[in-house]
Amino acid sequence: MLNENEAIDALSFHFKEIIKIIGEDPDREGLVKTPVRAAKAFYYATQGYRQNPAEIISQAIFDCDGSKLVVVKDIEFYSFCEHHILPFFGKISIGYIPGKKMVGLSKLARLVNVYCRRLQVQERLTTQVCTELMRDLDAKGVMVKCTAQHLCMKMRGVEKQDSLTTTLDYCGEFENNQSLRDEFLNALRD
């Protein structure tokens, strides 16, 4: 694996080549620094590959006397569609039923960041957040709702500007309990 400087140098070279391929002059005034800026931005936007989700969650696990349901809603995220390398973005809401442990709330947002800052599809992103939290927290149940807009649908292909995609994943007690799923979804309406 390349270190950060090596990765940015390699990405910068390729961004410069892409600029040439599309018919632009990478040496013109407005574009001279673009390959490096694009490389740094892309490296930052894909930092999830260089992070360990279990390690992030483990930094803030605490004993829990027992909430019945913890909900953090509208965690914004930005990701890249793995099919077109175009952005998709939206909000993720997470609900979990603690077992004997709970997690610091900011770690839920950090967990979302780990998985969204990779080449991704929304369906997998939703499942990865759900599965990781269930495993690392040993929760009684986890439910995740993700709603996003995809630039691969807005700026190319079908060009549908108002489309939204919603994915849900759940495990544990949420799997066989419709009233728990309803409780989570109702909590998102507040």
Side-chain angles (χ1 to χ4, degrees):
M1 186 174 201
L2 301 175
N3 70 39
E4 182 175 353
N5 290 333
E6 292 168 335
I8 289 171
D9 286 346
L11 286 167
S12 178
F13 169 81
H14 290 289
F15 276 115
K16 186 172 185 175
E17 293 303 307
I18 289 168
I19 291 169
K20 288 178 192 175
I21 290 167
I22 63 171
E24 185 58 85
D25 176 8
D27 295 321
R28 79 169 167 82
E29 182 181 7
L31 291 176
V32 171
K33 294 182 182 179
T34 296
V36 171
R37 286 191 299 257
K40 288 178 179 179
F42 196 72
Y43 189 77
Y44 176 82
T46 58
Q47 66 184 286
Y49 289 114
R50 297 172 297 281
Q51 296 174 321
N52 181 327
E55 201 173 280
I56 287 171
I57 291 293
S58 71
Q59 294 172 3
I61 293 180
F62 308 101
D63 291 335
C64 181
D65 292 335
S67 285
K68 299 238 188 262
L69 178 61
V70 177
V71 176
V72 176
K73 68 180 192 174
D74 296 338
I75 301 167
E76 71 273 2
F77 74 90
Y78 302 89
S79 191
F80 283 107
C81 160
E82 70 181 32
H83 300 137
H84 305 99
I85 310 183
L86 288 173
F88 72 96
F89 55 92
K91 294 182 179 178
I92 290 182
S93 296
I94 300 170
Y96 75 94
I97 302 166
K100 295 179 181 178
K101 301 289 182 184
M102 63 181 183
V103 65
L105 300 177
S106 70
K107 299 306 180 201
L108 297 176
R110 292 185 189 283
L111 177 63
V112 168
N113 279 349
V114 169
Y115 286 117
C116 75
R117 294 191 180 193
R118 299 175 180 193
L119 299 180
Q120 195 57 276
V121 294
Q122 182 176 336
E123 299 87 342
R124 183 184 319 113
L125 170 62
T126 306
T127 298
Q128 286 174 324
V129 170
C130 187
T131 302
E132 189 73 41
L133 191 57
M134 184 74 174
R135 178 177 45 241
D136 295 345
L137 205 52
D138 196 25
K140 293 179 182 176
V142 177
M143 187 162 176
V144 177
K145 178 185 177 200
C146 179
T147 301
Q149 300 177 55
H150 295 252
L151 290 188
C152 58
M153 285 187 63
K154 291 178 178 280
M155 66 183 287
R156 58 155 304 279
V158 296
E159 296 185 18
K160 299 302 177 199
Q161 302 309 308
D162 296 324
S163 65
L164 293 173
T165 301
T166 298
T167 49
L168 296 168
D169 199 3
Y170 43 85
C171 54
E173 291 184 18
F174 286 101
E175 282 189 276
N176 298 311
N177 190 329
Q178 180 66 48
S179 65
L180 273 177
R181 293 192 302 270
D182 291 342
E183 184 178 350
F184 170 73
L185 294 171
N186 286 332
L188 300 183
R189 293 185 184 115
D190 294 336

PDB file of all heavy atoms in Angstrom, residues 67-84:
ATOM      1  N   SER A  67     -31.454   1.515  27.689  1.00  0.00           N
ATOM      2  CA  SER A  67     -32.469   2.185  26.893  1.00  0.00           C
ATOM      3  C   SER A  67     -33.140   1.102  26.070  1.00  0.00           C
ATOM      4  O   SER A  67     -32.516   0.115  25.711  1.00  0.00           O
ATOM      5  CB  SER A  67     -31.838   3.215  25.943  1.00  0.00           C
ATOM      6  OG  SER A  67     -31.441   4.352  26.639  1.00  0.00           O
ATOM      7  N   LYS A  68     -34.374   1.307  25.759  1.00  0.00           N
ATOM      8  CA  LYS A  68     -35.072   0.340  24.914  1.00  0.00           C
ATOM      9  C   LYS A  68     -34.709   0.545  23.446  1.00  0.00           C
ATOM     10  O   LYS A  68     -34.651  -0.401  22.684  1.00  0.00           O
ATOM     11  CB  LYS A  68     -36.572   0.470  25.107  1.00  0.00           C
ATOM     12  CG  LYS A  68     -37.004   0.204  26.539  1.00  0.00           C
ATOM     13  CD  LYS A  68     -37.994  -0.915  26.573  1.00  0.00           C
ATOM     14  CE  LYS A  68     -38.567  -1.066  27.943  1.00  0.00           C
ATOM     15  NZ  LYS A  68     -37.977  -2.074  28.725  1.00  0.00           N
ATOM     16  N   LEU A  69     -34.465   1.806  23.063  1.00  0.00           N
ATOM     17  CA  LEU A  69     -34.124   2.099  21.681  1.00  0.00           C
ATOM     18  C   LEU A  69     -33.339   3.406  21.640  1.00  0.00           C
ATOM     19  O   LEU A  69     -33.745   4.394  22.246  1.00  0.00           O
ATOM     20  CB  LEU A  69     -35.399   2.237  20.830  1.00  0.00           C
ATOM     21  CG  LEU A  69     -35.248   2.583  19.350  1.00  0.00           C
ATOM     22  CD1 LEU A  69     -34.451   1.512  18.610  1.00  0.00           C
ATOM     23  CD2 LEU A  69     -36.621   2.757  18.714  1.00  0.00           C
ATOM     24  N   VAL A  70     -32.227   3.383  20.936  1.00  0.00           N
ATOM     25  CA  VAL A  70     -31.414   4.585  20.709  1.00  0.00           C
ATOM     26  C   VAL A  70     -31.498   4.890  19.217  1.00  0.00           C
ATOM     27  O   VAL A  70     -31.253   4.007  18.393  1.00  0.00           O
ATOM     28  CB  VAL A  70     -29.938   4.355  21.124  1.00  0.00           C
ATOM     29  CG1 VAL A  70     -29.095   5.582  20.802  1.00  0.00           C
ATOM     30  CG2 VAL A  70     -29.840   3.978  22.599  1.00  0.00           C
ATOM     31  N   VAL A  71     -31.852   6.131  18.888  1.00  0.00           N
ATOM     32  CA  VAL A  71     -31.976   6.520  17.484  1.00  0.00           C
ATOM     33  C   VAL A  71     -31.158   7.782  17.242  1.00  0.00           C
ATOM     34  O   VAL A  71     -31.294   8.765  17.953  1.00  0.00           O
ATOM     35  CB  VAL A  71     -33.453   6.788  17.092  1.00  0.00           C
ATOM     36  CG1 VAL A  71     -33.546   7.283  15.654  1.00  0.00           C
ATOM     37  CG2 VAL A  71     -34.302   5.543  17.289  1.00  0.00           C
ATOM     38  N   VAL A  72     -30.285   7.719  16.235  1.00  0.00           N
ATOM     39  CA  VAL A  72     -29.582   8.905  15.749  1.00  0.00           C
ATOM     40  C   VAL A  72     -30.014   9.063  14.300  1.00  0.00           C
ATOM     41  O   VAL A  72     -29.817   8.156  13.492  1.00  0.00           O
ATOM     42  CB  VAL A  72     -28.047   8.761  15.859  1.00  0.00           C
ATOM     43  CG1 VAL A  72     -27.358   9.976  15.262  1.00  0.00           C
ATOM     44  CG2 VAL A  72     -27.637   8.560  17.305  1.00  0.00           C
ATOM     45  N   LYS A  73     -30.645  10.191  14.008  1.00  0.00           N
ATOM     46  CA  LYS A  73     -31.187  10.338  12.660  1.00  0.00           C
ATOM     47  C   LYS A  73     -30.468  11.418  11.875  1.00  0.00           C
ATOM     48  O   LYS A  73     -29.836  12.307  12.437  1.00  0.00           O
ATOM     49  CB  LYS A  73     -32.689  10.596  12.696  1.00  0.00           C
ATOM     50  CG  LYS A  73     -33.114  11.920  13.259  1.00  0.00           C
ATOM     51  CD  LYS A  73     -34.642  12.018  13.210  1.00  0.00           C
ATOM     52  CE  LYS A  73     -35.101  13.430  13.482  1.00  0.00           C
ATOM     53  NZ  LYS A  73     -36.534  13.591  13.317  1.00  0.00           N
ATOM     54  N   ASP A  74     -30.574  11.277  10.573  1.00  0.00           N
ATOM     55  CA  ASP A  74     -30.095  12.278   9.616  1.00  0.00           C
ATOM     56  C   ASP A  74     -28.605  12.551   9.696  1.00  0.00           C
ATOM     57  O   ASP A  74     -28.158  13.694   9.675  1.00  0.00           O
ATOM     58  CB  ASP A  74     -30.888  13.585   9.762  1.00  0.00           C
ATOM     59  CG  ASP A  74     -32.348  13.417   9.412  1.00  0.00           C
ATOM     60  OD1 ASP A  74     -32.682  12.461   8.671  1.00  0.00           O
ATOM     61  OD2 ASP A  74     -33.165  14.237   9.859  1.00  0.00           O
ATOM     62  N   ILE A  75     -27.816  11.492   9.748  1.00  0.00           N
ATOM     63  CA  ILE A  75     -26.359  11.622   9.655  1.00  0.00           C
ATOM     64  C   ILE A  75     -26.040  11.805   8.169  1.00  0.00           C
ATOM     65  O   ILE A  75     -26.240  10.888   7.363  1.00  0.00           O
ATOM     66  CB  ILE A  75     -25.640  10.361  10.193  1.00  0.00           C
ATOM     67  CG1 ILE A  75     -26.010  10.108  11.653  1.00  0.00           C
ATOM     68  CG2 ILE A  75     -24.131  10.480  10.001  1.00  0.00           C
ATOM     69  CD1 ILE A  75     -25.605   8.723  12.162  1.00  0.00           C
ATOM     70  N   GLU A  76     -25.579  12.989   7.792  1.00  0.00           N
ATOM     71  CA  GLU A  76     -25.328  13.216   6.368  1.00  0.00           C
ATOM     72  C   GLU A  76     -24.064  12.467   5.933  1.00  0.00           C
ATOM     73  O   GLU A  76     -23.151  12.255   6.726  1.00  0.00           O
ATOM     74  CB  GLU A  76     -25.238  14.705   6.032  1.00  0.00           C
ATOM     75  CG  GLU A  76     -24.012  15.395   6.521  1.00  0.00           C
ATOM     76  CD  GLU A  76     -24.106  15.938   7.950  1.00  0.00           C
ATOM     77  OE1 GLU A  76     -25.127  15.761   8.621  1.00  0.00           O
ATOM     78  OE2 GLU A  76     -23.120  16.532   8.393  1.00  0.00           O
ATOM     79  N   PHE A  77     -24.064  12.070   4.667  1.00  0.00           N
ATOM     80  CA  PHE A  77     -22.902  11.366   4.135  1.00  0.00           C
ATOM     81  C   PHE A  77     -22.721  11.719   2.667  1.00  0.00           C
ATOM     82  O   PHE A  77     -23.640  12.169   1.990  1.00  0.00           O
ATOM     83  CB  PHE A  77     -23.052   9.845   4.303  1.00  0.00           C
ATOM     84  CG  PHE A  77     -24.036   9.229   3.341  1.00  0.00           C
ATOM     85  CD1 PHE A  77     -23.618   8.764   2.099  1.00  0.00           C
ATOM     86  CD2 PHE A  77     -25.376   9.131   3.671  1.00  0.00           C
ATOM     87  CE1 PHE A  77     -24.524   8.220   1.205  1.00  0.00           C
ATOM     88  CE2 PHE A  77     -26.291   8.581   2.784  1.00  0.00           C
ATOM     89  CZ  PHE A  77     -25.863   8.123   1.551  1.00  0.00           C
ATOM     90  N   TYR A  78     -21.505  11.474   2.189  1.00  0.00           N
ATOM     91  CA  TYR A  78     -21.129  11.669   0.789  1.00  0.00           C
ATOM     92  C   TYR A  78     -20.301  10.465   0.379  1.00  0.00           C
ATOM     93  O   TYR A  78     -19.392  10.064   1.109  1.00  0.00           O
ATOM     94  CB  TYR A  78     -20.304  12.951   0.617  1.00  0.00           C
ATOM     95  CG  TYR A  78     -21.053  14.162   1.107  1.00  0.00           C
ATOM     96  CD1 TYR A  78     -20.955  14.568   2.437  1.00  0.00           C
ATOM     97  CD2 TYR A  78     -21.895  14.873   0.257  1.00  0.00           C
ATOM     98  CE1 TYR A  78     -21.669  15.660   2.902  1.00  0.00           C
ATOM     99  CE2 TYR A  78     -22.610  15.963   0.716  1.00  0.00           C
ATOM    100  CZ  TYR A  78     -22.497  16.349   2.044  1.00  0.00           C
ATOM    101  OH  TYR A  78     -23.221  17.414   2.502  1.00  0.00           O
ATOM    102  N   SER A  79     -20.617   9.906  -0.765  1.00  0.00           N
ATOM    103  CA  SER A  79     -19.898   8.731  -1.223  1.00  0.00           C
ATOM    104  C   SER A  79     -19.752   8.784  -2.744  1.00  0.00           C
ATOM    105  O   SER A  79     -20.265   9.695  -3.389  1.00  0.00           O
ATOM    106  CB  SER A  79     -20.648   7.457  -0.808  1.00  0.00           C
ATOM    107  OG  SER A  79     -19.854   6.312  -1.011  1.00  0.00           O
ATOM    108  N   PHE A  80     -19.045   7.794  -3.293  1.00  0.00           N
ATOM    109  CA  PHE A  80     -18.898   7.644  -4.735  1.00  0.00           C
ATOM    110  C   PHE A  80     -19.524   6.327  -5.169  1.00  0.00           C
ATOM    111  O   PHE A  80     -19.188   5.271  -4.622  1.00  0.00           O
ATOM    112  CB  PHE A  80     -17.425   7.619  -5.157  1.00  0.00           C
ATOM    113  CG  PHE A  80     -16.762   8.958  -5.165  1.00  0.00           C
ATOM    114  CD1 PHE A  80     -15.840   9.289  -4.191  1.00  0.00           C
ATOM    115  CD2 PHE A  80     -17.053   9.885  -6.155  1.00  0.00           C
ATOM    116  CE1 PHE A  80     -15.216  10.522  -4.195  1.00  0.00           C
ATOM    117  CE2 PHE A  80     -16.432  11.118  -6.171  1.00  0.00           C
ATOM    118  CZ  PHE A  80     -15.515  11.444  -5.195  1.00  0.00           C
ATOM    119  N   CYS A  81     -20.390   6.398  -6.157  1.00  0.00           N
ATOM    120  CA  CYS A  81     -20.968   5.206  -6.763  1.00  0.00           C
ATOM    121  C   CYS A  81     -19.836   4.388  -7.393  1.00  0.00           C
ATOM    122  O   CYS A  81     -19.033   4.918  -8.158  1.00  0.00           O
ATOM    123  CB  CYS A  81     -21.983   5.636  -7.811  1.00  0.00           C
ATOM    124  SG  CYS A  81     -22.382   4.407  -9.042  1.00  0.00           S
ATOM    125  N   GLU A  82     -19.788   3.117  -7.078  1.00  0.00           N
ATOM    126  CA  GLU A  82     -18.701   2.292  -7.616  1.00  0.00           C
ATOM    127  C   GLU A  82     -18.888   1.974  -9.096  1.00  0.00           C
ATOM    128  O   GLU A  82     -17.951   1.527  -9.745  1.00  0.00           O
ATOM    129  CB  GLU A  82     -18.561   0.994  -6.818  1.00  0.00           C
ATOM    130  CG  GLU A  82     -19.670   0.001  -6.982  1.00  0.00           C
ATOM    131  CD  GLU A  82     -19.474  -1.248  -6.148  1.00  0.00           C
ATOM    132  OE1 GLU A  82     -18.898  -1.167  -5.049  1.00  0.00           O
ATOM    133  OE2 GLU A  82     -19.907  -2.309  -6.602  1.00  0.00           O
ATOM    134  N   HIS A  83     -20.066   2.221  -9.631  1.00  0.00           N
ATOM    135  CA  HIS A  83     -20.295   1.922 -11.046  1.00  0.00           C
ATOM    136  C   HIS A  83     -19.839   3.039 -11.973  1.00  0.00           C
ATOM    137  O   HIS A  83     -19.450   2.776 -13.108  1.00  0.00           O
ATOM    138  CB  HIS A  83     -21.782   1.634 -11.294  1.00  0.00           C
ATOM    139  CG  HIS A  83     -22.283   0.475 -10.511  1.00  0.00           C
ATOM    140  ND1 HIS A  83     -23.500   0.479  -9.868  1.00  0.00           N
ATOM    141  CD2 HIS A  83     -21.717  -0.723 -10.228  1.00  0.00           C
ATOM    142  CE1 HIS A  83     -23.668  -0.672  -9.240  1.00  0.00           C
ATOM    143  NE2 HIS A  83     -22.610  -1.423  -9.442  1.00  0.00           N
ATOM    144  N   HIS A  84     -19.926   4.294 -11.512  1.00  0.00           N
ATOM    145  CA  HIS A  84     -19.598   5.432 -12.380  1.00  0.00           C
ATOM    146  C   HIS A  84     -18.591   6.395 -11.760  1.00  0.00           C
ATOM    147  O   HIS A  84     -18.193   7.364 -12.393  1.00  0.00           O
ATOM    148  CB  HIS A  84     -20.874   6.216 -12.724  1.00  0.00           C
ATOM    149  CG  HIS A  84     -21.934   5.362 -13.332  1.00  0.00           C
ATOM    150  ND1 HIS A  84     -22.986   4.855 -12.602  1.00  0.00           N
ATOM    151  CD2 HIS A  84     -22.089   4.894 -14.593  1.00  0.00           C
ATOM    152  CE1 HIS A  84     -23.757   4.124 -13.389  1.00  0.00           C
ATOM    153  NE2 HIS A  84     -23.231   4.123 -14.606  1.00  0.00           N
TER     154      HIS A  84
END
